[in-house]
């Protein structure tokens, strides 16, 4: 189906792709807590966790219980909620942290350590032999508790490739559940992500998670490309909140995966909840949902230029790859502006139950453009103009030199 | 240089790439006018055009002079400003439009027509033979006026590949300056963009422009990948404003290209002007600059988690690929929260000119975490706490059981 519509859609031969077979690790309650504005009290954390669970994310990741007393208490409280989503916590690659993490009741532990020369020099100061030794110790300990364990490097795209593959192969052999690649600084681009994930896919048998920062605005595309290359798990946060400008946003990821395979995404997630979850988190961290947010940005389904409006009215698929109704949203065709077109106006005339010929609609459209060159006309303005024009035609007044009179009437502020 | 730092950076063998050799076609005054909120009066259009010119974009694209009387007058006015940037206008592939466009004084005309089966059926209803014939007529007419002409398909990613390549080859042969690929509906992903541009690069000798909508949040990455595949011109708008959620944003494109080659981008554009231009446009269309905007989002250079803060203080490159000072901005290390770490606190202690041992800093850090578990501490709160702690140490009061007393004092709201 997809192939017939679009010659560039994923090919059947693209056997590595997990575009239609992925899991979301939702990290609003971990990465999101690192957002400048974020301070989540216990009640808010529980509300967010429940909303994400109802939406259908497969995993919820929480701040390390080692971060503070309250972080630990909250982690324990969320584990006790009995959610369908698996609960993970995120710790440094250190036995002290691991011992505390496994006592909280989590379903899995995400372990991370910096492997780039930058972080090895300026952050923790450890060499690869030490990192490997500690990783093995921590992984075996967590596994002994019969819970999931992931091992991730940090700043993976600035780490030595051989070092990376070597440690991933080692932890894969001792039975880690997932390995993680992290673009901690947001420096990666889609083809780099594809190359690294594809290479890693040939080296390890376990699942592959990616964690992608958004400093250059490519985190959604990088996640998409990672899935194409064989990644299995994507980290997200609601609205992308996290360190600096954050990571792959949940809504954006859902948008691009829905565009690739709507039925699969609709079957996994409660899509109409997306807006509610975004509003919940936006309120908690005191930000606005960005106007250009995929799906829920307030103009995401607003069509304006005449040529777009005409085609949308004939068939929404012409200019929409996301169906607003699948997200509990509606489309809006704006016509009171200088870029309007007569086909869009004609559709409005019909909606108002008026009868005008095409020539008359074109005449009325010219009038709308004239007024809209001065200021944008609201839908009410346009409707009044069309009704006045229509009654002028009906009464015969407009048949001759009516346009000038119409101008005088409708031009009143 | 780049290669030594990062094994996944573009390879020297990647001879197609124009990552360090591109032009920006800034379309805030065309695509941006199609944004739901946009109504630009003449004065605002001129202010935006001048700002974009001062920033250094190579081209400024304007709304079709056919759209309305004022659109035509504004186009003529902007052509007369004598800007360094070339001025383009954007028209339907129609001789009526072309005749008006060439009279405005523009340096070039961007011609567009829908080629997908969707648009051919539901928009203009023309077949490929008609499209080709009209394209040739319009292109030859514009060329006869000695100005640039671009021919673009619309909805290119849902058009038949053979139809597309065929018409591009035809217009290339008659001397079009650029051909354009448009992801009008925002359905493309990076690997599709790469494939189509790379294929086209082998078919035409002229320049290649891409116009990418952002419905799934991939427009920045798609633009980047198009340049890797040999595209030469990228369409942008300030903050990405345009139909629905818009197109590749100027700031985001600059961010990812700066990350790839800072010196080249700094040599072409006046980067500290970016924030001013974004504020100008945001005000004109009454939106907020999104909190997670690349570069100018208010937290783009805010570092929070202890592990990040520590490394940033040692060497900013650990967690920053964009230098805030190159954009006239500054970084901020946030420490008054439960994710703080003692190295970040130590740095603040030194900034305040206080003297504490590492053990004392760790003790004070535990205290900050304790308070921050209740509510986020402002920088002032943290500074007071550190000063009180320091004077307690100096006076000997804190040597024994001073921590409890400190709690009582600093805990006051």
């Amino acid at each position: 189906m997809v192939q017939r519509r679009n010659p560039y859609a994923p090919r059947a031969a693209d056997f590595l792709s997990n575009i239609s077979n992925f899991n979301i690790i939702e990290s609003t309650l971990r990465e999101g807590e690192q957002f400048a504005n974020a301070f989540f009290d216990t009640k808010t954390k529980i509300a967010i966790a429940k909303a994400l669970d109802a939406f259908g994310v497969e995993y919820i990741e929480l701040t390390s219980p080692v971060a503070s007393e309250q972080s630990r208490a909250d982690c324990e409280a969320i584990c006790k909620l009995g959610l369908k989503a698996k609960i993970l916590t995120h710790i440094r690659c250190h036995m002290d942290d691991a011992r505390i993490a496994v006592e909280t009741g989590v379903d899995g532990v995400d372990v991370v350590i910096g492997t780039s020369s930058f972080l090895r020099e300026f952050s923790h100061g450890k060499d690869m032999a030490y990192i490997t030794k500690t990783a093995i110790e921590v992984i075996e300990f967590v596994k002994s508790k019969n819970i999931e364990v992931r091992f991730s490097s940090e700043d993976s795209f600035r780490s030595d490739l051989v070092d990376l593959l070597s440690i991933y192969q080692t932890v894969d052999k001792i039975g880690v559940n997932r390995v993680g690649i992290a673009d901690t600084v947001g420096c990666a681009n889609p083809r780099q992500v594809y190359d690294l994930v594809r290479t890693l896919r040939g080296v390890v048998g376990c699942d592959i998670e990616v964690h992608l920062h958004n400093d250059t605005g490519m985190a959604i595309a990088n996640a998409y490309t990672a899935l194409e290359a064989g990644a299995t798990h994507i980290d997200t946060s609601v609205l992308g909140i996290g360190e600096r400008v954050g990571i792959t946003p949940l809504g954006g990821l859902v948008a691009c995966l829905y565009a690739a395979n709507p039925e699969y995404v609709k079957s996994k997630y409660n899509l109409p909840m997306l807006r509610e979850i975004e509003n919940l988190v936006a309120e908690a961290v005191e930000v606005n949902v960005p106007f250009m947010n995929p799906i829920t940005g307030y103009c995401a389904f607003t069509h304006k230029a005449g040529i777009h409006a005409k085609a949308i009215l004939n068939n929404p698929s012409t200019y929409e790859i996301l169906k607003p109704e699948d997200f509990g949203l509606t489309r809006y065709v704006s016509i009171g502006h200088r870029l309007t077109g007569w086909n869009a106006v004609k559709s409005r005339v019909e909606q108002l139950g008026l009868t005008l010929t095409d020539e008359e609609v074109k005449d009325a459209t010219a009038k709308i453009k004239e007024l809209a060159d001065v200021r944008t006309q609201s839908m009410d303005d346009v409707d009044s103009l069309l009704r006045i024009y229509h009654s002028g035609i009906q009464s015969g007044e407009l048949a001759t030199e009516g346009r000038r009179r119409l101008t005088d009437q409708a031009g009143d502020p």
Side-chain angles (χ1 to χ4, degrees), chain A:
Chain A
M1 274 297 284
V2 173
Q3 261 180 310
R4 227 183 304 150
R5 286 208 320 270
N6 179 349
Y8 300 98
R11 289 149 289 249
D14 220 339
F15 65 91
L16 282 175
S17 176
N18 283 321
I19 290 296
S20 298
N21 182 32
F22 60 84
N23 292 281
I24 291 176
I25 296 182
E26 226 300 328
S27 189
T28 301
L29 296 177
R30 195 282 291 176
E31 178 70 46
E33 228 189 347
Q34 293 177 225
F35 173 54
N37 278 24
F39 172 81
F40 298 134
D41 60 22
T42 307
K43 198 177 135 207
T44 306
K45 284 186 189 173
I46 288 175
I48 292 172
K50 285 183 171 171
L52 290 170
D53 189 55
F55 179 77
V57 300
E58 290 81 2
Y59 291 83
I60 294 172
E61 187 182 63
L62 307 179
T63 293
S64 170
V66 182
S68 72
E69 276 308 309
Q70 194 60 51
S71 301
R72 181 180 182 157
D74 293 343
C75 182
E76 288 168 354
I78 291 170
C79 289
K80 290 198 185 101
L81 293 175
L83 303 180
K84 267 179 68 186
K86 289 188 184 175
I87 308 299
L88 303 172
T89 190
H90 180 263
I91 62 166
R92 293 169 299 186
C93 188
H94 200 293
M95 281 300 290
D96 293 350
D97 290 17
R99 283 193 199 96
I100 294 168
V102 299
E103 296 302 318
T104 57
V106 291
D107 300 298
V109 176
D110 286 348
V111 176
V112 68
I113 191 161
T115 44
S116 72
S117 58
F118 283 98
L119 293 182
R120 281 157 56 194
E121 183 174 351
F122 298 106
S123 177
H124 54 68
K126 309 292 195 293
D127 67 15
M128 286 306 294
Y130 179 89
I131 291 172
T132 307
K133 183 176 156 291
T134 318
I136 293 173
E137 188 184 0
V138 169
I139 292 165
E140 291 190 330
F141 171 72
V142 177
K143 274 178 62 74
S144 76
K145 302 291 176 181
N146 287 316
I147 57 178
E148 282 188 22
V149 58
R150 178 215 72 185
F151 173 81
S152 181
S153 60
E154 203 187 349
D155 199 6
S156 315
F157 290 88
R158 297 191 302 176
S159 298
D160 181 84
L161 178 61
V162 179
D163 282 351
L164 270 190
L165 296 178
S166 165
I167 194 164
Y168 286 139
Q169 188 169 51
T170 301
V171 298
D172 184 45
K173 279 189 188 147
I174 63 166
V176 82
N177 296 87
R178 286 189 305 285
V179 290
I181 290 174
D183 180 17
T184 309
V185 296
C187 69
N189 64 59
R191 294 175 68 234
Q192 291 176 338
V193 172
Y194 189 87
D195 285 353
L196 181 55
V197 174
R198 193 188 51 189
T199 303
L200 181 57
R201 186 65 291 170
V203 169
V204 298
C206 62
D207 285 339
I208 298 175
E209 172 180 345
V210 291
H211 179 87
L212 302 157
H213 276 264
N214 202 25
D215 295 75
T216 68
M218 301 208 270
I220 298 170
N222 284 345
Y224 187 90
T225 311
L227 289 175
E228 287 187 309
T232 55
H233 293 65
I234 305 287
D235 289 8
T236 68
S237 68
V238 177
L239 298 172
I241 60 169
E243 282 283 349
R244 306 183 310 281
V245 296
I247 62 166
T248 309
L250 177 64
L253 184 71
V254 163
C256 69
L257 292 167
Y258 170 102
N261 188 344
E263 294 312 317
Y264 177 67
V265 172
K266 276 156 62 177
S267 73
K268 275 165 84 83
Y269 305 115
N270 182 351
L271 299 182
M273 272 197 72
L274 182 62
R275 182 158 65 164
E276 180 186 328
I277 293 176
E278 289 186 346
N279 288 343
L280 172 67
V281 172
E283 198 173 322
V285 299
E286 298 180 335
V287 299
N288 294 307
V289 173
F291 71 93
M292 31 54 79
N293 212 41
I295 303 171
T296 56
Y298 82 93
C299 51
F301 299 105
T302 298
H303 303 276
K304 187 165 168 185
I307 192 173
H308 288 220
K310 169 188 173 184
I312 275 285
L313 292 163
N314 280 336
N315 177 352
S317 295
T318 46
Y319 286 100
E320 274 175 6
I321 48 158
L322 308 167
K323 287 189 188 164
E325 59 270 28
D326 283 345
F327 300 89
L329 302 167
T330 50
R331 86 175 49 84
Y332 176 68
V333 178
S334 159
I335 59 176
H337 52 80
R338 61 168 66 127
L339 308 176
T340 199
W342 73 274
N343 283 283
V345 174
K346 184 180 174 186
S347 156
R348 187 65 190 165
V349 165
E350 287 162 4
Q351 281 171 8
L352 294 174
L354 309 176
T355 313
L356 293 175
T357 66
D358 284 358
E359 284 315 305
E360 288 160 357
V361 172
K362 285 177 187 172
D363 192 34
T365 303
K367 184 61 216 135
I368 294 170
K369 281 177 181 269
E370 211 174 306
L371 295 171
D373 252 349
V374 182
R375 66 163 176 79
T376 301
Q377 304 290 297
S378 71
M379 205 53 135
D380 280 352
D381 294 334
V382 171
D383 290 353
S384 308
L385 182 143
L386 293 174
R387 286 206 174 89
I388 292 168
Y389 189 95
H390 181 257
S391 65
I393 293 287
Q394 292 298 99
S395 67
E397 270 182 73
L398 269 175
T400 50
E401 52 95 52
R403 262 203 79 214
R404 232 187 61 78
R405 184 165 314 161
L406 176 75
T407 307
D408 298 341
Q409 287 174 27
D412 285 346

